[in-house]
Amino acid sequence: MDTFKIITEAHKGFAYLILLAGIIFVVALLVTMFGYSGKISKLLRKSTLFTMILFHIQLIVGILMLVFSPGLKGALETGTLMSNAAARFSYVEHPVSMLIGVVLMTIINKYMKSNETLAMKIVIMGVIAFALFAYAFPWARVFPSFFA
């Protein structure tokens, strides 16, 4: 089997896990935010850690995917990387959005480890991280039956 195909399938598989972990994280974040005490629960700490770990693994697999990508090499050689909307999304917007999401999740995880109560800035960062993830998520490729 081709190396790029293996990396692509791993990237796609981790996408499902990240989607599930991200939803659990956002729900736990909102429950804590709207809770009476605002204390960071065990569920929120664990979901933040697990989501951050999955984001980092996905980032590494995504970087490997970019390195081995024949599409990126072709777009760079022909000079159509920024003029082609599909290539721009796949090779520029998607990686940059995900990288920003990974950085935000790392900051959130550091905050969760060192504080007992939730701050509004962390909630906003969590929502932005998940919004960037949702924006850059290739919904049609991961769930082709819904977008056919």
Side-chain angles (χ1 to χ4, degrees):
M1 190 181 253
D2 183 28
T3 304
F4 181 70
K5 179 79 170 154
I6 293 170
I7 294 170
T8 302
E9 291 301 317
H11 196 68
K12 186 177 178 181
F14 275 111
Y16 292 113
L17 289 173
I18 289 177
L19 187 60
L20 178 64
I23 290 170
I24 292 170
F25 163 72
V26 169
V27 168
L29 187 69
L30 293 176
V31 165
T32 303
M33 183 183 95
F34 291 119
Y36 292 107
S37 66
K39 294 189 110 191
I40 297 172
S41 65
K42 260 185 157 176
L43 173 66
L44 182 56
R45 285 186 205 276
K46 296 290 182 187
S47 66
T48 303
L49 176 65
F50 192 62
T51 304
M52 184 200 68
I53 289 170
L54 286 174
F55 265 46
H56 280 86
I57 291 170
Q58 185 76 328
L59 177 67
I60 292 168
V61 173
I63 290 170
L64 288 173
M65 202 168 140
L66 277 175
V67 168
F68 290 108
S69 173
L72 177 62
K73 291 174 186 153
L76 287 172
E77 288 172 2
T78 59
T80 60
L81 179 63
M82 295 305 282
S83 61
N84 182 342
R88 185 178 58 243
F89 177 78
S90 294
Y91 304 120
V92 178
E93 294 173 7
H94 176 77
V96 169
S97 297
M98 293 301 182
L99 178 64
I100 294 169
V102 168
V103 169
L104 289 175
M105 281 305 298
T106 305
I107 293 168
I108 292 167
N109 185 54
K110 174 67 176 155
Y111 180 87
M112 296 288 180
K113 286 165 112 177
S114 59
N115 292 302
E116 293 299 318
T117 59
L118 190 61
M120 187 55 117
K121 66 182 178 183
I122 297 301
V123 174
I124 292 169
M125 287 172 64
V127 170
I128 290 172
F130 195 73
L132 282 170
F133 170 75
Y135 160 73
F137 193 84
W139 296 100
R141 279 190 247 163
V142 177
F143 298 109
S145 60
F146 290 122
F147 297 96

